Amino acid sequence: MTIAAVLMLVQHAYDAQVPVHGAPWLWFTIIKILVVFTVLMVTIAYLTLAERKISAWIQDRHGPNRVGPRGLFQPLADGLKNIMKEETYPSAAYGPLFILAPVMSFIPALITFAVIPFAAPLPTPWGLVDMSIADLPVGFLYILAIASLGVYGIVLAGWSSNNKYALLGGLRSSAQMVSYEVSMGLAAVSVLLLSGNVSLSSIVATQIQTGWFAFPLLIGFFLFLVAAFAETNRLPFDLPEAESELIAGYHTEYSSMKFSMFFIAEYSNMVTASALLTTLFFGGWAVPFWTTVDTAPWHWWKTLITLVFFMIKTGFFLFLYMWIRWTLPRFRYDQLMSVGWKVMLPIALGYLVIMAAAVLGLEMAGIAPTARLGGFVPIYWAILAVLNIVLAILVFVVLDRGRLVSPAYARVGAVELAELRAMAMRRPPLTPAQGD
Amino acid sequence: MPNGFVFEFLFYLFGLIAVVSAAIFVTRRNPVAAALWLVNTMFCLAALYIMMDAQFVGAIQVLVYAGAIMVVFLFVVMLLNLGLPPSVADLKGKGARIFALLAGLIMLAEVMVLVRQKLPAELAWLPRETNVTTPITDSLFRTYLLPFEITSVLLLVAIVGAVVLAKRRG
């Protein structure tokens, strides 16, 4: 109890208006930080194993299977190896930033998770404890803000290495992240339209009342998903570290634990992005069709069940990341930029206008978000879902006309064929090199 | 706003870091290092905003300045691979320096006068809102809608102007 008393005094010294006998939130926060950090690090370690096992499964081979039963201790061996390896310092590198860069990509990746609510509140003898480290009133904006800082680590790694491949990787990454951040933010604004608040706990609370946002905001969800892949630098958007062109991109010059920190940052960004997709579009920790668990009065078993559901949903998106990585080839750099600026951004802007008009229209028609037609069908949600499906068909059929989403095995379209022929006609004839 | 000892300590700590980083920022010769010190200043300002319950402003400070504008600055600095300039001072000549000193002193005096004034009572304590964006949207999109829209048109004009100038030279 003495530690609790000390913490209470520290708390009082921070804010004298809070009564000394109040709930020791500082105490709970410290415990939550320790637990979440540990769980996150272990998850990341085992995600590397999962990635290798899934890639092996997709490519029909065994994957790591030597360390421990079925290769289960492989992450420990990898960690040990990374610590024991020699650290190299390129002589031409800019020292302070070369050391700072891995840290600057590692820290933002970890602290974004702080605002994500991962379970129903837990009742304790000292009051209700929120199951997120800090339920910030600006939760979603905090995530956007911190996620936008992740690029510093990559850019500075590329610049300070004083290596042309690393610099190209860093430049690509900064251009890519700035481009896709805009679409990501705009896609998420549609969520904020429905929830009416930027705090993540109230976004989850709204979804418990009205249903998941993935269906009434289908296009917004897909835009966010694509932008999240681009922001985490995962395939098909891993241009900053494209092996076939840039050796290893921004981390070419790094070795041992500093190299490993870039990987930990990438995987923790993946975890945060998956948790964010779950929270914004799939009801967060809410259990579908079981309102008893999702609503007060709270109980410890409710916290447990909702935690498990949160993990399942997040795990699904993590699997999706890996599935896509081992299925799709990498974009070309100009394709990446044109998808970002010429496709994603106009669609996101237009979508936002249409959704805002639809929400306003439903409000004027007097349909409440919680209204149920015949006591069962969520009418608000259904109207928006139908609107989204119509919009999706319009986007794919009318706007696209088979140019962008035509599959790789399809025949070349008439338009593209004409363009290719025109390009071939424009090209000057090849001249023999000197001395031939 | 909390008023305990730790709060005051943190307030002065972040303020000190912000001022020191700003001073280092203007004296660096390496453009990348200077940009990073500026980011540090932005961060401390965001921390100060958040400590004063202006959480929206704090988040936007990091998102817009540190996350977008400075990233573009760094991008340009790296793309052009700017070397070290011969001198960090923009002001050349004695007259300009004396003028700069005078301007600085006048601004310092203004700050001193402002610090001595008392805050209006209703500003000193505002109730804590659960929805932090509502007060800002209220003033942006209701009370000051016209000035806000005019500002955005001004920014648009600046962007179009920049594009036109860039095209003309090429």
Side-chain angles (χ1 to χ4, degrees):
Chain A
M1 271 326 280
T2 44
I3 301 170
V6 170
L7 283 171
M8 220 103 84
L9 276 178
V10 173
Q11 193 173 312
H12 181 72
Y14 181 78
D15 188 352
Q17 283 161 354
V18 173
V20 182
H21 53 79
W25 50 260
L26 207 55
W27 182 229
F28 288 126
T29 308
I30 290 169
I31 294 175
K32 281 190 286 191
I33 289 173
L34 289 176
V35 170
V36 169
F37 179 74
T38 315
V39 171
L40 208 55
M41 290 318 272
V42 173
T43 310
I44 289 163
Y46 274 89
L47 275 178
T48 59
L49 180 67
E51 173 105 52
R52 295 167 73 178
K53 281 282 186 192
I54 288 172
S55 73
W57 174 54
I58 288 176
Q59 298 173 340
D60 200 13
R61 45 189 182 84
H62 285 293
N65 59 358
R66 285 289 171 267
V67 192
R70 303 177 70 89
L72 269 180
F73 297 143
Q74 186 67 40
L76 300 178
D78 287 347
L80 196 67
K81 187 182 103 177
N82 273 323
I83 293 169
M84 305 301 279
K85 281 264 177 178
E86 182 194 356
E87 285 206 51
T88 51
Y89 292 93
S91 52
Y94 184 71
L97 290 182
F98 186 75
I99 295 169
L100 202 63
V103 184
M104 281 176 85
S105 72
F106 178 71
I107 290 176
L110 281 183
I111 58 175
T112 22
F113 204 83
V115 292
I116 290 175
F118 47 84
L122 179 72
T124 60
W126 305 277
L128 212 55
V129 181
D130 273 332
M131 281 293 115
S132 63
I133 292 173
D135 182 24
L136 286 190
V138 285
F140 182 68
L141 292 172
Y142 168 85
I143 288 191
L144 278 188
I146 302 294
S148 66
L149 298 176
V151 66
Y152 278 109
I154 296 178
V155 167
L156 291 177
W159 182 78
S160 65
S161 299
N162 210 353
N163 169 324
K164 61 184 168 192
Y165 298 113
L167 182 66
L168 278 173
L171 285 176
R172 279 184 176 190
S173 146
S174 61
Q176 175 178 333
M177 285 186 134
V178 169
S179 316
Y180 280 84
E181 231 169 58
V182 186
S183 319
M184 190 177 184
L186 283 174
V189 171
S190 58
V191 172
L192 307 182
L193 274 179
L194 286 198
S195 75
N197 200 335
V198 287
S199 109
L200 291 176
S201 61
S202 71
I203 289 174
V204 173
T206 319
Q207 290 185 78
I208 289 171
Q209 281 175 357
T210 64
W212 293 358
F213 288 159
F215 303 99
L217 297 172
L218 194 66
I219 296 180
F221 165 65
F222 274 105
L223 288 172
F224 195 88
L225 187 73
V226 174
F229 272 77
E231 287 285 296
T232 44
N233 289 327
R234 292 281 297 186
L235 265 163
F237 298 101
D238 72 336
L239 275 297
E241 45 179 305
E243 299 93 339
S244 50
E245 305 153 29
L246 298 180
I247 306 180
Y250 60 90
H251 55 60
T252 303
E253 297 286 1
Y254 283 88
S255 65
S256 95
M257 209 54 207
K258 290 212 288 297
F259 164 78
S260 180
M261 274 164 101
F262 283 116
F263 260 77
I264 297 175
E266 178 179 323
Y267 278 91
S268 66
N269 271 328
M270 267 166 67
V271 175
T272 312
S274 305
L276 199 58
L277 279 163
T278 304
T279 309
L280 292 182
F281 295 99
F282 285 84
W285 44 260
V287 182
F289 309 116
W290 195 8
T291 37
T292 335
V293 180
D294 297 340
T295 45
W298 303 113
H299 203 276
W300 64 265
W301 59 266
K302 289 185 179 178
T303 307
L304 205 63
I305 290 174
T306 49
L307 180 66
V308 169
F309 262 77
F310 179 79
M311 283 177 166
I312 292 172
K313 292 178 194 173
T314 310
F316 170 74
F317 283 109
L318 286 170
F319 173 70
L320 187 70
Y321 260 107
M322 291 167 190
W323 188 7
I324 288 181
R325 170 166 180 189
W326 296 102
T327 308
L328 292 182
R330 185 180 293 137
F331 274 119
R332 223 169 47 216
Y333 190 65
D334 61 315
Q335 290 174 329
L336 171 95
M337 280 293 136
S338 81
V339 167
W341 290 107
K342 293 185 190 160
V343 181
M344 298 263 295
L345 186 64
I347 291 181
L349 270 174
Y351 182 67
L352 185 60
V353 173
I354 292 173
M355 286 317 286
V359 167
L360 191 68
L362 283 170
E363 199 174 287
M364 283 165 92
I367 302 172
T370 47
R372 300 273 155 135
L373 197 66
F376 183 70
V377 182
I379 182 72
Y380 191 89
W381 192 89
I383 290 174
L384 288 180
V386 169
L387 176 69
N388 266 273
I389 291 167
V390 172
L391 283 176
I393 292 170
L394 280 179
V395 165
F396 284 128
V397 177
V398 181
L399 281 182
D400 188 55
R401 285 191 294 264
R403 284 185 62 204
L404 182 79
V405 284
S406 66
Y409 55 78
R411 298 184 58 146
V412 180
V415 182
E416 211 173 340
L417 197 63
E419 274 174 10
L420 284 172
R421 281 199 178 128
M423 261 165 73
M425 296 299 281
R426 275 200 304 273
R427 197 170 62 192
L430 293 173
T431 47
Q434 292 285 316
D436 256 8
Chain B
M1 199 155 83
N3 55 357
F5 158 73
V6 177
F7 179 85
E8 265 186 34
F9 172 74
L10 287 177
F11 181 86
Y12 285 113
L13 181 71
F14 282 123
L16 187 71
I17 299 174
V19 172
V20 171
S21 312
I24 300 177
F25 153 60
V26 291
T27 50
R28 284 310 88 178
R29 284 181 62 190
N30 186 336
V32 174
L36 286 176
W37 282 107
L38 183 58
V39 173
N40 206 25
T41 311
M42 306 281 191
F43 255 106
C44 292
L45 291 184
L48 289 179
Y49 289 139
I50 287 168
M51 284 176 74
M52 287 182 274
D53 266 354
Q55 281 148 339
F56 183 80
V57 184
I60 292 297
Q61 170 90 10
V62 175
L63 179 62
V64 174
Y65 286 103
I69 293 181
M70 289 316 293
V71 171
V72 176
F73 272 30
L74 271 184
F75 182 78
V76 172
V77 166
M78 288 176 188
L79 197 66
L80 302 179
N81 207 1
L82 299 177
L84 304 182
S87 152
V88 285
D90 284 331
L91 295 169
K92 307 269 161 24
K94 215 168 242 176
R97 287 188 184 185
I98 289 172
F99 178 76
L101 181 70
L102 278 178
L105 284 176
I106 290 169
M107 278 175 74
L108 189 67
E110 273 178 13
V111 171
M112 289 308 216
V113 171
L114 282 175
V115 164
R116 288 166 74 93
Q117 279 174 345
K118 280 239 154 79
L119 272 180
E122 69 268 21
L123 267 184
W125 175 251
L126 286 170
R128 201 173 280 201
E129 293 258 359
T130 48
N131 196 341
V132 286
T133 44
T134 314
I136 289 168
T137 44
D138 253 359
S139 40
L140 268 190
F141 297 112
R142 289 218 176 95
T143 326
Y144 303 110
L145 180 63
L146 190 65
F148 176 68
E149 291 299 333
I150 291 174
T151 315
S152 57
V153 170
L154 186 70
L155 288 176
L156 186 68
V157 169
I159 295 169
V160 172
V163 172
V164 167
L165 285 178
K167 288 264 171 192
R168 187 183 292 164
R169 207 167 290 162

